[in-house]
Amino acid sequence: MFENRLTKVLKHLRKTAKRQGITCFRIYDRDLPEFPLIIELYEDKVYVAEYRSQHGMEEEAYDEWLHASLDVIAKVLQVPADDLHLRTRQRKQNRQSQYEKMDFSKEELIVQEDGLKFKVNLSDYLDSGLFLDHRITRHMVREEAKDKKVLNLFCYTGSFSVYAAAGGAASVTSIDLSKTYLQWAEENMQLNELFDPAKHQYIHADVLQYLDELKMNTYDLVVLDPPTFSNSKRMKDILDIQRDHVEIVNKVLLATKKGGVVYFSNNLRRFVLEEESIQAGSIKNITAQTVPFDFQGKLQRHCFRIVK
């Protein structure tokens, strides 16, 4: 059953990916309840996320099931078992786990997207370093960035920053709580020969606290992609995006020039934007327009284009 499903979706998605010139895409996302896995292809390497669930199996039986599943993935994708990289995710995970190093094997490679290069790590962290679901949103930012002052909050490994710089941004400021990811963001800029300390800044800070330090009416384009929830010890406050989004977005808008654009997204499945409380000129839900072909019908995140 799993093999048939995987064969079918791979054939369909590979055609679309080839037509669009995409070499990194999601193949499978818990399509069958009996196989709670996420499978992504990064060039010729495969990332597999295993979601631990109430499977009711003895550990030995579960291990056999998992190994058999990995064998099927290797067979269908025609890759050696050594090119499969397995990560285990819990059903509920806080933001801190994203920052924690889980391994030290450093399975890194350089991949391409939209003519740009990015470093991904398939072994050491919970996520690869490149969120494939924001492929279209990144392209939008690139198209709008020319001669703009850009701010990338919760920047992670800086993929939005690279796109903005590649689009001719006058400056890009990237802010994140993790020094590791900020360094990674700088490496991604260097890979694309866009690294320029005179134009682009990397700030290590708790974004929630740093919002109060932003100068008013400064930025033309802002990327705001916060976690849904965070109780990281390194943050002063606990973040709950449903509870806190109005305050966060309004503070970001204060730092945005009139007519400037904020791309705001989050992964809370039941998120409701409190539009009437947000001090914006216009708000457009662009979730549907930003869902890539390999996430159709599966993407839980929301995305909004907010104009001051």
Side-chain angles (χ1 to χ4, degrees):
M1 178 174 63
F2 181 50
E3 184 174 346
N4 289 341
R5 175 67 182 175
L6 204 52
T7 302
K8 183 180 177 182
V9 296
L10 180 63
K11 184 179 179 182
H12 168 68
L13 292 173
R14 261 201 171 134
K15 283 182 181 177
T16 308
K18 188 175 182 181
R19 192 165 63 247
Q20 295 187 15
I22 290 166
T23 58
C24 305
F25 58 96
R26 182 165 291 189
I27 296 167
Y28 176 94
D29 189 344
R30 294 169 282 187
D31 299 25
L32 303 170
E34 301 90 342
F35 294 87
L37 304 168
I38 284 179
I39 305 168
E40 294 178 343
L41 188 68
Y42 290 86
E43 309 277 344
D44 56 352
K45 307 285 185 184
V46 182
Y47 169 89
V48 182
E50 166 209 13
Y51 279 78
R52 297 308 297 257
S53 56
Q54 300 291 328
H55 49 72
M57 286 186 264
E58 297 289 335
E59 277 305 306
E60 190 174 331
Y62 182 81
D63 287 344
E64 286 181 13
W65 167 85
L66 182 58
H67 282 105
S69 299
L70 294 174
D71 287 343
V72 168
I73 295 168
K75 176 185 174 184
V76 173
L77 271 63
Q78 298 180 321
V79 297
D82 287 349
D83 286 341
L84 290 181
H85 301 280
L86 178 69
R87 304 252 41 84
T88 301
R89 307 180 75 112
Q90 304 300 327
R91 286 289 178 183
K92 290 184 179 179
Q93 226 140 4
N94 63 30
R95 177 74 163 196
Q96 181 66 13
S97 58
Q98 185 194 60
Y99 290 114
E100 290 171 351
K101 199 152 192 175
M102 306 174 75
D103 198 346
F104 294 90
S105 48
K106 211 173 183 181
E107 293 290 341
E108 296 179 347
L109 66 151
I110 307 303
V111 299
Q112 296 202 41
E113 181 188 90
D114 213 356
L116 299 169
K117 297 175 183 177
F118 298 93
K119 183 183 88 170
V120 297
N121 184 316
L122 303 182
S123 60
D124 298 356
Y125 300 92
L126 190 61
D127 295 298
S128 69
L130 185 65
F131 291 134
L132 303 180
D133 63 298
H134 268 308
R135 191 185 303 126
I136 293 172
T137 327
R138 285 191 282 268
H139 184 81
M140 287 179 170
V141 167
R142 184 180 190 170
E143 293 292 297
E144 282 193 66
K146 186 162 179 61
D147 299 326
K148 303 282 178 67
K149 290 190 74 172
V150 180
L151 175 64
N152 186 4
L153 299 166
F154 303 98
C155 74
Y156 189 42
T157 60
S159 54
F160 273 106
S161 301
V162 170
Y163 268 79
S171 67
V172 183
T173 301
S174 307
I175 306 176
D176 200 273
L177 184 62
S178 167
K179 287 182 179 177
T180 299
Y181 286 138
L182 283 172
Q183 184 180 342
W184 196 330
E186 291 188 39
E187 287 179 48
N188 279 333
M189 281 286 204
Q190 289 166 342
L191 280 173
N192 293 280
E193 299 180 1
L194 295 166
F195 186 75
D196 184 349
K199 290 173 65 177
H200 308 312
Q201 275 189 297
Y202 306 86
I203 298 172
H204 174 237
D206 176 345
V207 173
L208 295 186
Q209 302 300 310
Y210 199 81
L211 290 176
D212 295 322
E213 297 181 34
L214 293 173
K215 291 181 181 178
M216 293 178 66
N217 305 313
T218 301
Y219 299 98
D220 304 289
L221 183 59
V222 182
V223 177
L224 174 61
D225 185 23
T228 59
F229 178 82
S230 180
N231 59 356
S232 168
K233 292 174 184 175
R234 285 181 283 178
M235 292 179 72
K236 186 177 178 182
D237 301 316
I238 292 174
L239 170 63
D240 177 328
I241 197 59
Q242 184 61 68
R243 182 194 67 199
D244 302 330
H245 76 276
V246 170
E247 181 182 2
I248 292 170
V249 172
N250 281 336
K251 283 183 177 181
V252 169
L253 285 167
L254 284 174
T256 306
K257 294 177 184 175
K258 187 172 174 58
V261 175
V262 177
Y263 282 99
F264 168 52
S265 63
N266 71 77
N267 293 311
L268 182 62
R269 183 176 298 192
R270 295 182 177 86
F271 178 76
V272 177
L273 186 75
E274 296 177 25
E275 284 195 39
E276 67 286 349
S277 300
I278 293 173
Q279 295 154 12
S282 68
I283 300 174
K284 185 179 181 184
N285 189 329
I286 59 168
T287 304
Q289 298 99 293
T290 59
V291 178
F293 71 92
D294 45 332
F295 287 84
Q296 293 290 334
K298 300 170 186 176
L299 194 55
Q300 303 299 336
R301 69 154 169 78
H302 307 266
C303 193
F304 304 90
R305 188 176 188 271
I306 302 172
V307 180
K308 183 170 179 178

